[in-house]
Amino acid sequence: MSKLTPTPGQTVGPFYGYALPFNKDNELLAPGSAGSIRLQGTVYDGAGDAIPDAILEIWQPDAEGKVVQRTGSLVRDGYTFTGWGRAAVGNSGVFSFTTVNPGPTEAGAAPFISVAVFARGLMNRLFTRIYLPENEEALAADPLLSSLDPERRSTLIARRDADGGLTWDLRLQGGNETVFLDFEGASQ
Amino acid sequence: MLDANAGHYQDDDELVPAAEPHAAHAPSDAAVETQADLSAEIKAIGEAYARALKDGGAPETQPRLDFAPYRSSILRHPTKSLHHADPETIELYSPAFGHQDVHALESDLTIQHNGEPQGERIIVQGKVLDGDGRPVAGQLVEIWQANAAGRYIHKRDQHPAPLDPNFTGVGRCITGPDGSYRFTTIKPGAYPWKNHLNAWRPAHIHFSMFGTDFTQRIVTQMYFPGDQLFPLDPIYQSIVDQDARDRLVAKYDHELTSPEWALGYNWDIVLSGSKRTWTENEAFGDAGDEE
């Protein structure tokens, strides 16, 4: 299908901290604004230790399920929801975004947030998804989730917090290893 | 075997010794593994790959996620196969960026301060293409790098080489209609890291790119031709196939070199193929417009 061979990826390394992060990179909406939620979690390695030098990007439809194609993700005006954000984990391995619950992009589809993760020691970016915990029927019918073993499936579904936010942890390795996705049809 | 020792490597393994101008430049917690140890591991993996190729195996075009010579990868590579998924709606698009997000001057890393940075001024130019050879226009390219002495402006980089008050090492641009990008910068230096004793990274510039689909997202590193550190570097060698490695090395381009000003390097980047059809793409409307 592809006529050209893609350029290989390489690790983001440890020193992206002054280059990739930018002001309000993790605020897809201003905290506290109408409809906004907090999406948070921790990134773990294979020893179960939190990683202090990972960086996550999320990309999602708006609350109505529409794919937004607005500019202004790097220089945010504080009002425009562009659907994309970036968050470096802190020393505790915790990341946090302010965003909205993604809507279903088609009637009956299970809404999800698309994720790309980068880290020192991770040779190439990994893709995964964060599904909302509600609407069991839509989750059961989802093509990706239904193709997974039940225990692995749960790694892609966030928990709903008491404040209305979402908590979703990412494990690069180990017993509860997050499901990572390959869109090319051949792993590596 | 490596997993049993893995915890040994997890702390600060890419930090170099704290800067001590008068200290001998030997790490106080000297890694016991030498470059020769690491090179032997790299060689064994390379030979196994060469045998697999000879036996009809497919060339590996991406780095191995599980590449133990890069110690930090030991606890950070997924142990289960990546799960094949068909990209769905949101994954068939990528975020839109425009000149609102990036100022035109951000592509010149030599003018971000009041004076001239130290080092060899270079121009790095190329095109971002998708897997079908189509230019990827209007897309964000982000770069970051060490200065000419091999030092990053990062609190965790304590390499005892000078910081340059006139060089930050961060640039951005938006690709043109033909997918082209162009940066003016300083050639970065090699620098030491603590993967093993006497570990040095080849000079490189980090590149970050999107595409028209989120599945095309890539962060990679551009290297310079003829670097003597290539065979010694576990990160470069994590790509086991020589043809694939060569795709990360820029070409010196004398036509691009600017007289009495800067040396020119050319490097094209190929993203994976777009999963979208042109009709869907066109039906969506122009980036930046409300549907």
Side-chain angles (χ1 to χ4, degrees):
Chain A
M1 31 172 222
S2 293
K3 297 170 189 73
L4 300 177
T5 305
T7 302
Q10 289 267 270
T11 180
V12 74
F15 298 136
Y16 55 79
Y18 66 94
L20 293 178
F22 57 93
N23 192 29
K24 298 184 182 177
D25 57 1
N26 64 336
E27 296 179 7
L28 285 74
L29 279 179
S33 55
S36 69
I37 61 163
R38 179 172 67 166
L39 165 66
Q40 62 176 336
T42 307
V43 182
Y44 296 100
D45 69 11
D49 293 327
I51 289 179
D53 46 12
I55 186 163
L56 267 64
E57 291 176 354
I58 61 169
W59 168 231
Q60 64 166 89
D62 68 12
E64 281 74 51
K66 192 173 68 180
V67 179
V68 180
Q69 291 282 274
R70 302 287 297 268
T71 61
S73 289
L74 290 184
V75 181
R76 297 199 192 275
D77 65 12
Y79 298 91
T80 304
F81 179 82
T82 68
W84 182 76
R86 177 181 278 167
V89 305
N91 288 336
S92 57
V94 174
F95 66 87
S96 171
F97 290 96
T98 311
T99 186
V100 297
N101 287 306
T105 49
E106 290 154 34
F112 66 86
I113 295 168
S114 191
V115 180
V117 57
F118 309 86
R120 174 175 69 88
L122 180 59
M123 293 299 189
N124 205 354
R125 54 68 203 114
L126 294 171
F127 294 111
T128 184
R129 292 180 183 175
I130 306 173
Y131 284 87
L132 308 188
E134 294 85 12
N135 197 343
E136 293 288 343
E137 199 178 324
L139 292 175
D142 182 80
L144 171 62
L145 291 179
S146 57
S147 71
L148 294 168
D149 295 336
E151 71 273 17
R152 299 217 69 208
R153 177 184 187 269
S154 64
T155 68
L156 301 186
I157 302 174
R159 301 192 300 277
R160 184 66 69 181
D161 301 326
D163 66 0
L166 294 167
T167 295
W168 178 81
D169 294 333
L170 188 147
R171 291 176 175 80
L172 289 172
Q173 194 183 88
N176 218 2
E177 188 173 301
T178 301
V179 172
F180 298 105
L181 304 177
D182 163 35
F183 296 107
E184 296 303 314
S187 61
Q188 289 303 299
Chain B
M1 181 190 76
L2 287 164
D3 281 345
N5 293 327
H8 170 70
Y9 303 113
Q10 76 192 32
D11 292 321
D12 296 341
D13 51 354
E14 283 180 24
L15 297 186
V16 293
E20 292 176 45
H22 303 295
H25 294 304
S28 56
D29 55 343
V32 290
E33 295 171 299
T34 63
Q35 180 69 55
D37 295 330
L38 265 290
S39 293
E41 284 184 37
I42 290 169
K43 183 162 177 272
I45 293 169
E47 286 170 354
Y49 174 67
R51 281 195 300 275
L53 264 189
K54 206 174 162 201
D55 294 343
E60 296 182 30
T61 59
Q62 292 291 328
R64 288 194 180 173
L65 295 177
D66 180 3
F67 194 75
Y70 178 27
R71 299 309 193 207
S72 301
S73 75
I74 292 172
L75 287 170
R76 297 182 174 196
H77 71 269
T79 58
K80 298 178 169 66
S81 299
L82 303 185
H83 187 86
H84 175 72
D86 292 320
E88 294 178 59
T89 322
I90 187 74
E91 292 155 339
L92 293 171
Y93 293 89
S94 67
F97 297 97
H99 295 290
Q100 169 188 351
D101 294 295
V102 178
H103 193 281
L105 296 180
E106 289 185 69
S107 65
D108 189 341
L109 286 73
T110 68
I111 58 167
Q112 295 170 356
H113 300 273
N114 289 330
E116 288 284 329
Q118 298 288 317
E120 180 182 319
R121 198 182 292 108
I122 61 172
I123 296 162
V124 181
Q125 178 177 292
K127 286 185 177 179
V128 183
L129 305 169
D130 74 9
D132 298 313
R134 294 182 297 227
V136 180
Q139 276 290 338
L140 177 67
V141 180
E142 297 165 282
I143 65 168
W144 70 103
Q145 63 170 97
N147 69 23
R151 179 91 186 257
Y152 286 91
I153 299 185
H154 190 286
K155 64 187 175 196
R156 293 186 67 195
D157 185 357
Q158 293 294 310
H159 173 201
L163 287 171
D164 184 339
N166 291 318
F167 190 72
T168 303
V170 174
R172 294 192 190 96
C173 74
I174 301 286
T175 56
D178 59 351
S180 62
Y181 73 87
R182 180 187 173 103
F183 291 102
T184 303
T185 184
I186 297 292
K187 188 176 181 188
Y191 61 84
W193 58 310
K194 283 177 66 179
N195 188 68
H196 54 278
L197 184 61
N198 210 12
W200 290 77
R201 298 252 28 238
H204 61 276
I205 299 176
H206 295 266
F207 271 72
S208 165
M209 278 136 312
F210 292 78
T212 53
D213 305 19
F214 197 63
T215 62
Q216 295 175 305
R217 183 84 182 89
I218 182 174
V219 166
T220 187
Q221 303 179 21
M222 185 204 91
Y223 298 90
F224 293 85
D227 197 314
Q228 64 273 26
L229 293 168
F230 285 156
L232 308 178
D233 178 40
I235 293 178
Y236 175 82
Q237 293 288 333
S238 72
I239 303 161
V240 295
D241 188 271
Q242 188 61 48
D243 289 344
R245 286 177 196 142
D246 291 345
R247 294 187 186 108
L248 294 187
V249 182
K251 290 185 174 59
Y252 173 70
D253 182 348
H254 201 67
E255 291 299 306
L256 179 58
T257 290
S258 179
E260 298 176 41
W261 179 248
L263 294 173
Y265 291 89
N266 208 291
W267 188 52
D268 291 343
I269 301 142
V270 179
L271 309 178
S272 61
S274 172
K275 299 287 189 291
R276 266 193 289 167
T277 66
W278 281 110
T279 40
E280 281 171 334
N281 193 9
E282 286 159 4
F284 197 80
D286 295 333
D289 287 347
E290 188 84 44
E291 279 288 285

